[in-house]
């Protein structure tokens, strides 16, 4: 009976080469040899700039990723997950939230030619009820 044992590569002292290239990884165990090719590539490094950390319900705010770093910015796609089941695309977007709460915004940047994506970066934004909204809700509840 063959038993499969999974050992994470993180258990070994394997360093990623600093030079962008294709490398061969050779694994040997009990006279079995397995060779794998892997590519070391440059990924986009997204940066989220937002105009506010706290906003009121329905208040519009801007998100911008123009400070994202990458060697070729011409073929980048910017995908925003806004934490309220809404996604948007673009280097700069405008959004608002309809409910109070804390939302996690995630940005992923993809090179559409090389088909590689950044690791997502995230920020949180707090949405609160404005004084006007609270007063309006109180008025409607009392009358």
């Amino acid at each position: 009976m063959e038993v499969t044992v999974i050992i994470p590569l993180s258990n070994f002292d394997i360093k990623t080469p600093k030079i962008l290239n294709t490398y061969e990884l050779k694994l040997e165990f009990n006279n079995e040899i397995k060779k794998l090719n892997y590519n070391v590539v440059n990924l986009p490094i997204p940066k989220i700039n937002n105009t506010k950390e706290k906003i009121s319900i329905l208040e519009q705010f801007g998100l911008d990723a123009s400070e994202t770093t990458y060697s070729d910015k011409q073929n980048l796609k910017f995908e925003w997950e806004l934490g309220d089941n809404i996604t948007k695309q673009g280097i700069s977007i405008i959004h608002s939230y309809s409910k109070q709460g804390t939302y996690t915004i995630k940005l992923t940047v993809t090179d559409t030619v090389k088909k590689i994506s950044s690791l997502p970066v995230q920020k949180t934004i707090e949405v609160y009820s404005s004084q006007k909204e609270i007063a309006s809700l109180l008025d409607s509840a009392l009358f």
Side-chain angles (χ1 to χ4, degrees):
M1 181 170 113
E2 185 176 311
V3 176
T4 302
V5 177
I6 299 173
I7 302 171
L9 285 177
S10 60
N11 289 354
F12 302 95
D13 190 23
I14 298 175
K15 304 287 187 220
T16 301
K18 294 188 187 292
I19 298 172
L20 305 179
N21 204 344
T22 300
Y23 294 89
E24 182 179 85
L25 179 63
K26 181 179 172 183
L27 305 171
E28 187 173 342
F29 183 74
N30 286 347
N31 296 323
E32 281 189 55
I33 298 174
K34 179 80 173 172
K35 294 180 182 180
L36 303 168
N37 287 330
Y38 70 96
N39 295 318
V40 176
V41 296
N42 214 3
L43 294 178
I45 302 171
K47 182 171 182 194
I48 299 174
N49 295 311
N50 57 323
T51 52
K52 297 182 178 184
E53 302 279 327
K54 293 181 178 185
I55 60 168
S56 64
I57 292 174
L58 300 177
E59 179 181 350
Q60 289 192 336
F61 69 101
L63 293 165
D64 175 78
S66 60
E67 291 183 29
T68 293
T69 55
Y70 189 60
S71 56
D72 179 15
K73 287 189 175 183
Q74 291 182 1
N75 301 308
L76 294 181
K77 179 172 76 171
F78 298 83
E79 294 181 86
W80 302 85
E81 293 178 37
L82 299 162
D84 59 353
N85 296 321
I86 302 286
T87 58
K88 293 185 178 183
Q89 293 186 2
I91 195 165
S92 296
I93 63 166
I94 305 254
H95 190 62
S96 64
Y97 292 98
S98 60
K99 294 181 181 174
Q100 182 176 341
T102 301
Y103 295 88
T104 300
I105 299 164
K106 293 181 185 176
L107 170 63
T108 303
V109 180
T110 302
D111 182 323
T112 58
V113 173
K114 294 179 183 172
K115 308 286 187 221
I116 56 173
S117 296
S118 69
L119 298 173
V121 295
Q122 60 186 39
K123 276 197 170 187
T124 57
I125 191 159
E126 190 176 327
V127 180
Y128 60 90
S129 293
S130 70
Q131 292 296 339
K132 279 185 185 178
E133 290 172 74
I134 293 170
S136 174
L137 289 171
L138 287 172
D139 285 345
S140 64
L142 296 174
F143 300 105

